[in-house]
Amino acid sequence: MTAACLFCKIVSGEIKGEIVFRDDQATAFRDINPVAPTHILIVPNQHIESVTALESKEEQLIGHLVAIAGQLAQSEGIAEGGYRLITNTGPDAGQTIFHIHMHLLGGQEMKYPMG
Ligand code: 5GP
Ligand code: ZN
């Protein structure tokens, strides 16, 4: 836990989040400012700043986040229609919270191309 980190505080329960999944490694909660009918953030319980800060021992953990996204897509009813997983990294990508997270977006046709 990093004291100033918003997502660490949501994971610990210090700040309220609409939590939709939790286990010993990861937590998923609804984005406060959704940009799609389903917009969920999936985060590791431990503080990792970004993809750039990842260590090789954390590879399994990141795979676990993707697997959770797949399960949530099913429970949210968006698996068949399709969905998008996004992890913004650094300023050019618009990362605003420096606790690694995956956006799960779905429930509408998404714009493409990105960038
Ligand atoms: P980023 O821009 O870093 O990829 O995404 C950060 C996301 O966190 C944004 O989509 C933003 O809406 C969301 N967010 C910011 N503050 C809060 C909060 O207090 N609670 C929740 N649930 N989401 C938040
Ligand atoms: Zn954190």
Side-chain angles (χ1 to χ4, degrees):
M1 161 116 181
T2 295
C5 174
L6 179 66
F7 287 177
C8 280
K9 288 180 179 166
I10 290 177
V11 167
S12 72
E14 191 182 330
I15 289 179
K16 205 173 138 27
E18 195 184 337
I19 290 171
V20 294
F21 176 88
R22 180 198 285 286
D23 68 12
D24 59 332
Q25 294 183 79
T27 302
F29 50 90
R30 294 196 192 280
D31 197 291
I32 205 166
N33 184 24
V35 298
T38 294
H39 188 171
I40 292 171
L41 302 172
I42 306 155
V43 311
N45 293 342
Q46 72 184 82
H47 184 84
I48 300 169
E49 203 169 281
S50 73
V51 170
T52 308
L54 274 175
E55 296 179 23
S56 56
K57 65 178 187 318
E58 290 151 352
E59 284 177 12
Q60 181 275 336
L61 175 60
I62 300 309
H64 187 53
L65 302 186
V66 177
I68 292 167
Q71 286 166 21
L72 286 171
Q74 302 231 37
S75 59
E76 291 285 314
I78 60 171
E80 215 153 288
Y83 53 94
R84 185 170 284 165
L85 303 179
I86 295 174
T87 297
N88 295 318
T89 305
D92 278 356
Q95 184 178 6
T96 57
I97 309 278
F98 288 84
H99 179 131
I100 194 170
H101 52 280
M102 191 174 291
H103 297 254
L104 167 61
L105 296 167
Q108 69 185 20
E109 197 175 329
M110 240 78 61
K111 308 256 186 309
Y112 200 86
M114 296 177 281

